[in-house]
Amino acid sequence: MTLVDVRISEPKRYIPGATGDWEVIIGLEVHAQVTSNSKLFSGASTTFGNAPNSNVSLVDAAMPGMLPVINEECVKQAVRTGLGLKAQINKRSIFDRKNYFYPDLPQGYQISQFKDPIVGEGKIVISVGPDRQGQFEDIEIGIERLHLEQDAGKSMHDQSPTMSYVDLNRSGVALMEIVSKPDMRSSDEAKAYVTKLRSIVRYLGTCDGNMDEGSMRADVNVSVRRPGEDFGTRCEIKNVNSIRFIGQAIEYEARRQIGILEDGGSIDQETRLFDPNKGETRSMRSKEDAHDYRYFPDPDLLPLEFDDAFVAALKADLPELPDDKKERFVRDLGLSIYDASVLVSEKAIADYFEAVAAGRDGKIAANWVINDLLGALNKAGKGIEETPVSPAQLGAILDLIKSEVISGKIAKDLFEIVWNEGGDPAELVETRGMKQVTDTGAIEKAVDEIIAANPDQVAKVQAKPSLAGWFVGQVMKSTGGKANPQAVQALVKAKLGIED
């Protein structure tokens, strides 16, 4: 591909070196495993975690005479992803043989796409931030292409002191290789890009995005240059399977290259690996160019062709994607951009929030989902799928607050009970005597007692009315937090002669 610089150099993104400032240039090749029941060219299962070499057909094992047959669902998933990336869909594409030494791919070559991919140029808008002022910066990252290809198997070198073992379960699994343009200028941008891309494919249902299972991983291309100069020589860091590791690998590799150049050396184009234990990259092999792979059209596969109606049918069935959902949350529910961004970051979180917010105040629902629910899940090391508090239970808590059956403080205690023990919130309030006190006579009695017992504090409030909150706190404490806060505040002000 022809490298085009579309970004204006910005000093805030420069990396200071010993001899001046540097700029890092980043491009990513993300391999996303296609969500499908069978492989790209065979009917073998794609189920993760099966016994080694149990998801292998005669085609995957490259037995003589076995011919590949395209999986239509994988084609549909690639087109859906292209539409989600606002990319050009190529109605004619070609599968090529990529010749390379694959010890864990029995046919000895990979079926991929080179000059004619199924998806062309697209874009992703990422949000980086918040900065010190709480602001986010939206940055458009170009997509160069998306093509379909086979995955390789897995070599295991730690099972025997004298032999390597091969598991072909992944061999032939469909991958979408999503190639970005070299548009990223910091590790934060790269992490935001992968996070956004993973969110999009999860919304679409075209990849589960489980990086810990290897179903999404990235090859990270890094180079550095003096601001305003041409692109430098890049190094590719292979198969990074964590967003955090992607950031660490970029930071280390940029510093490594800057150090070499400032010492008068030059960068070798090579493939490197990232060691997360040491936090550093190390050389793997010299980097091949496209001509080294000796691509040619696969003679066993006809060109892949489909029409506009095929694409239109897939487009009509697309779900609401993160950017559109965020815009709707801000526009229709009055959420802040930050809150909406948090809620749409994962489809499961957005679905949970919408269930809670249905028929209720969106801002209040967002506050409880983000601060209380997600806070508790983060503390417990759980994902939204593991939440012990259902949307119906959280919604019931919010209904009890709105109807003034419980106060906000009681609601926090009730949430803890539901989190730890489960149960119906309304029934728990009844059986555990958690209703807030709304009887003004009882509240007035508590206010009178606190005022009578603290004459010195009364004198202070007369001189400085803003101290009246101390009395409110004492009354709430004396009633076990059950008194209606608004009633307490009104009575305290009335008894102390404080005007609003």
Side-chain angles (χ1 to χ4, degrees):
M1 78 185 196
T2 303
L3 299 181
V4 179
D5 194 354
V6 299
R7 298 283 298 273
I8 298 172
S9 295
E10 298 176 89
K12 66 181 180 181
R13 292 187 172 85
Y14 293 168
I15 301 174
T19 61
D21 290 331
W22 296 84
E23 189 176 25
V24 62
I25 310 296
I26 305 158
L28 294 174
E29 300 165 16
V30 175
H31 294 82
Q33 179 178 326
V34 175
T35 299
S36 65
N37 293 326
S38 53
K39 297 182 179 180
L40 184 56
F41 298 114
S42 83
S45 171
T46 59
T47 303
F48 177 80
N50 283 354
N53 295 306
S54 60
N55 297 352
V56 184
S57 73
L58 296 176
V59 173
D60 307 320
M63 291 293 141
M66 295 298 104
L67 297 177
V69 177
I70 189 70
N71 182 336
E72 183 179 354
E73 179 60 21
C74 294
V75 174
K76 290 180 177 178
Q77 295 287 57
V79 173
R80 289 186 188 107
T81 304
L83 292 169
L85 298 176
K86 297 179 174 58
Q88 173 189 334
I89 307 300
N90 297 323
K91 295 190 290 294
R92 186 180 191 275
S93 60
I94 295 174
F95 284 100
D96 301 280
R97 289 188 181 182
K98 181 180 180 181
N99 294 275
Y100 182 68
F101 176 65
Y102 293 96
D104 39 23
L105 197 57
Q107 63 208 32
Y109 56 83
Q110 181 188 40
I111 301 177
S112 182
Q113 294 185 310
F114 179 44
K115 290 185 178 179
D116 299 285
I118 190 169
V119 175
E121 292 190 351
K123 63 181 180 181
I124 287 179
V125 177
I126 63 172
S127 290
V128 179
D131 59 19
R132 292 178 180 177
Q133 288 74 44
Q135 300 299 310
F136 289 82
E137 181 180 9
D138 286 346
I139 302 168
E140 184 177 297
I141 306 298
I143 302 294
E144 177 69 24
R145 57 187 278 145
L146 178 157
H147 63 259
L148 282 167
E149 65 182 20
Q150 299 170 295
D151 201 355
K154 180 181 180 182
S155 297
M156 294 170 286
H157 309 295
D158 58 354
Q159 309 293 309
S160 166
T162 58
M163 296 181 291
S164 290
Y165 288 78
V166 175
D167 178 8
L168 296 180
N169 278 355
R170 292 191 63 89
S171 179
V173 166
L175 296 179
M176 297 178 289
E177 181 170 337
I178 303 166
V179 183
S180 84
K181 295 187 177 183
D183 291 350
M184 286 160 272
R185 297 293 180 267
S186 72
S187 60
D188 285 342
E189 290 183 16
K191 290 190 292 183
Y193 170 84
V194 178
T195 299
K196 183 66 171 288
L197 180 59
R198 183 173 64 173
S199 177
I200 290 172
V201 295
R202 282 178 165 173
Y203 270 76
L204 291 166
T206 58
C207 173
D208 63 26
N210 295 336
M211 301 184 78
D212 57 330
E213 295 180 359
S215 55
M216 191 170 184
R217 53 196 189 269
D219 296 340
V220 186
N221 292 282
V222 179
S223 66
V224 297
R225 67 177 180 186
R226 294 290 189 185
E229 293 185 354
D230 293 334
F231 288 130
T233 302
R234 65 187 171 92
C235 292
E236 181 182 45
I237 308 162
K238 292 290 287 186
N239 289 330
V240 188
N241 65 347
S242 154
I243 292 174
R244 179 165 59 92
F245 292 164
I246 287 171
Q248 292 175 356
I250 291 169
E251 293 287 342
Y252 177 86
E253 182 61 20
R255 289 289 180 185
R256 185 190 73 85
Q257 293 184 23
I258 290 170
I260 291 172
L261 294 171
E262 290 192 325
D263 286 341
S266 61
I267 304 301
D268 295 324
Q269 181 173 312
E270 62 180 350
T271 298
R272 301 178 69 84
L273 292 175
F274 177 68
D275 185 337
N277 295 317
K278 295 182 179 180
E280 62 186 32
T281 65
R282 64 173 184 269
S283 181
M284 180 181 176
R285 62 174 183 263
S286 61
K287 171 63 179 171
E288 298 81 6
D289 287 313
H291 63 264
D292 294 317
Y293 293 121
R294 304 185 308 283
Y295 284 99
F296 65 87
D298 192 301
D300 294 331
L301 290 162
L302 291 170
L304 178 62
E305 297 182 350
F306 44 79
D307 56 18
D308 289 332
F310 179 81
V311 178
L314 294 173
K315 187 173 185 178
D317 198 39
L318 291 182
E320 184 181 38
L321 292 174
D323 286 347
D324 297 327
K325 194 177 289 288
K326 180 172 74 172
E327 183 181 334
R328 177 167 61 84
F329 284 177
V330 173
R331 181 188 67 243
D332 296 348
L333 300 179
L335 303 190
S336 68
I337 293 176
Y338 175 81
D339 285 353
S341 298
V342 172
L343 293 169
V344 304
S345 61
E346 293 184 30
K347 185 175 185 298
I349 294 175
D351 290 344
Y352 185 105
F353 163 72
E354 292 209 77
V356 174
R360 302 184 179 94
D361 186 293
K363 291 183 179 179
I364 294 174
N367 184 58
W368 273 85
V369 171
I370 293 171
N371 297 321
D372 295 271
L373 180 77
L374 295 184
L377 287 170
N378 184 57
K379 187 176 179 181
K382 295 182 177 182
I384 188 70
E385 298 83 1
E386 304 169 276
T387 175
V389 180
S390 70
Q393 288 172 316
L394 183 53
I397 292 173
L398 301 190
D399 291 341
L400 291 168
I401 298 172
K402 184 178 180 181
S403 60
E404 298 188 350
V405 173
I406 60 175
S407 64
K409 182 183 183 306
I410 296 173
K412 303 286 186 184
D413 298 334
L414 180 58
F415 179 87
E416 287 291 324
I417 294 171
V418 175
W419 174 276
N420 292 310
E421 304 173 26
D424 178 75
E427 291 180 5
L428 289 169
V429 169
E430 287 288 348
T431 58
R432 303 202 181 191
M434 299 177 73
K435 286 186 178 181
Q436 72 173 339
V437 178
T438 56
D439 179 359
T440 54
I443 297 174
E444 185 174 10
K445 182 174 181 292
V447 171
D448 288 339
E449 290 174 354
I450 297 296
I451 290 176
N454 296 277
D456 292 343
Q457 196 69 24
V458 171
K460 291 179 181 179
V461 172
Q462 302 299 334
K464 192 174 182 181
S466 61
L467 297 176
W470 182 88
F471 284 97
V472 175
Q474 292 301 306
V475 174
M476 294 301 296
K477 185 177 179 181
S478 72
T479 59
K482 294 181 181 179
N484 181 292
Q486 290 78 22
V488 172
Q489 191 171 44
L491 282 167
V492 165
K493 288 184 176 181
K495 295 286 183 179
L496 295 174
I498 297 173
E499 296 182 0
D500 290 327

